[in-house]
Amino acid sequence: MAQNEEKNIIIMGPPAAGKGTQSELIVKAYDLPHISTGDMFRSALKEQTPLSIQAGKFMAEGKLVPDEVTIGLVEERLAKDDCRKGFLLDGFPRTVVQAEALKKILEKTGRKITCVLVLEAEDEELIDRIASRRVCPKCGASYNLKTKKPKVEGICDNCGEKIILRQDDRPESFKVRLEDYRKKTLPLVDYYRKEGVVKEIDALDSIDNVFHHIQESLETE
Ligand code: AP5
């Protein structure tokens, strides 16, 4: 993809591969809106609407939220003005049904996906990362007890709240998320490979090096 072309990007990869971490860097560097379905669901949960309560039950067990709920949410978000010049989708699509729906949504406005970044990492590393991840339940900031510690132990740098283990990071839920990724989301790599937009990224490297590889992928054909 050339440097000045529209950037309609998907970042995918197994849970804890670093999608959220890299998304923060990508949206800052390329001035794109960050559309994370996981973040959208977590923020909706705070409102405790009947729909968000239903989604929260799936999430706590590590299961995917039903396609119809997720697709509607993303369609609404992609229609907003800030997505006209490009966007970064993080955690969507996760099923072939979602990918087909996304294609139709974008076609309505003459758009298409220009790049799919696939973060690759082994299960052993993912399990290690998830065990040391902590999040702020108030502002959503993410930390890692090994690689991204808060300034004061156990306390969020941004808002002073006590940081916690995400509910779906418990080993039993994490196992379901990993299995679901392999079964339902990984087939999307082939789906997008046919469209010639897949860039595989080694996610086992340092955060800075992974980002460097992503930039190279986004700025070269
Ligand atoms: P979502 O929030 O999307 O979770 P996920 O895909 O499981 O991904 P994570 O947030 O766990 O990990 P990440 O890859 O962002 O890694 P991170 O950067 O934090 O979805 C949650 C749930 O919502 C789903 O299970 C489902 O229920 C529902 N949902 C969402 N989208 C849906 C959809 N489309 N359809 C249906 N349901 C949906 O990094 C992890 C840790 O590693 C951090 O501590 C970080 O600091 C550290 N780290 C990152 N990179 C590195 C590195 N290079 N070296 C060392 N440490 C690193």
Side-chain angles (χ1 to χ4, degrees):
M1 186 172 28
Q3 214 165 353
N4 296 321
E5 268 177 30
E6 189 175 81
K7 287 180 168 40
N8 298 334
I9 309 167
I10 292 170
I11 186 164
M12 56 182 275
K19 300 180 296 296
T21 303
Q22 294 301 325
S23 290
E24 266 184 46
L25 301 172
I26 297 168
V27 295
K28 208 164 155 204
Y30 297 99
D31 192 23
L32 296 170
H34 177 201
I35 306 176
S36 157
T37 38
D39 286 351
M40 286 162 94
F41 285 133
R42 279 185 288 277
S43 122
L45 250 176
K46 288 182 193 153
E47 311 292 321
Q48 288 285 292
T49 61
L51 202 66
S52 71
I53 293 169
Q54 191 202 356
K57 284 183 188 150
F58 286 100
M59 291 171 77
E61 290 174 23
K63 293 181 186 159
L64 291 183
V65 177
D67 285 336
E68 56 276 19
V69 177
T70 315
I71 291 165
L73 196 72
V74 173
E75 178 159 25
E76 217 172 276
R77 182 65 187 86
L78 283 173
K80 299 226 159 106
D81 277 352
D82 63 339
C83 295
R84 278 206 199 143
K85 284 190 287 174
F87 50 81
L88 175 69
L89 279 170
D90 163 8
F92 183 93
R94 260 178 154 98
T95 63
V96 174
V97 172
Q98 291 181 11
E100 294 284 3
L102 175 64
K103 195 173 183 182
K104 286 193 190 131
I105 292 167
L106 295 178
E107 272 170 2
K108 284 185 202 163
T109 47
R111 292 178 289 178
K112 62 178 182 173
I113 291 299
T114 55
C115 184
V116 177
L117 299 163
V118 182
L119 301 188
E120 296 177 325
E122 284 136 25
D123 288 5
E124 206 178 304
E125 172 72 14
L126 301 173
I127 290 163
D128 190 51
R129 283 184 190 178
I130 219 65
S132 44
R133 175 164 70 180
R134 296 293 181 275
V135 294
C136 173
K138 196 170 168 198
C139 73
S142 176
Y143 298 91
N144 189 288
L145 303 182
K146 289 182 185 163
T147 54
K148 199 181 163 197
K149 293 182 190 176
K151 290 184 191 120
V152 178
E153 197 184 321
I155 301 295
C156 176
D157 292 347
N158 297 340
C159 68
E161 189 77 15
K162 203 170 160 218
I163 56 174
I164 56 164
L165 185 78
R166 218 167 83 179
Q167 205 183 2
D168 57 346
D169 284 349
R170 288 168 298 134
E172 60 275 27
S173 305
F174 190 68
K175 193 168 166 265
V176 176
R177 285 159 63 199
L178 259 182
E179 283 169 3
D180 256 8
Y181 177 75
R182 308 258 179 253
K183 228 188 292 168
K184 298 178 182 162
T185 310
L186 210 48
L188 292 182
V189 178
D190 277 340
Y191 177 95
Y192 285 113
R193 198 173 270 131
K194 286 184 194 133
E195 305 199 356
V197 289
V198 168
K199 303 275 184 180
E200 276 142 338
I201 309 284
D202 176 10
L204 290 177
D205 218 332
S206 69
I207 292 173
D208 286 348
N209 284 347
V210 174
F211 182 55
H212 181 68
H213 294 309
I214 287 178
Q215 280 186 301
E216 279 178 342
S217 295
L218 290 175
E219 287 165 20
T220 53
E221 293 288 339

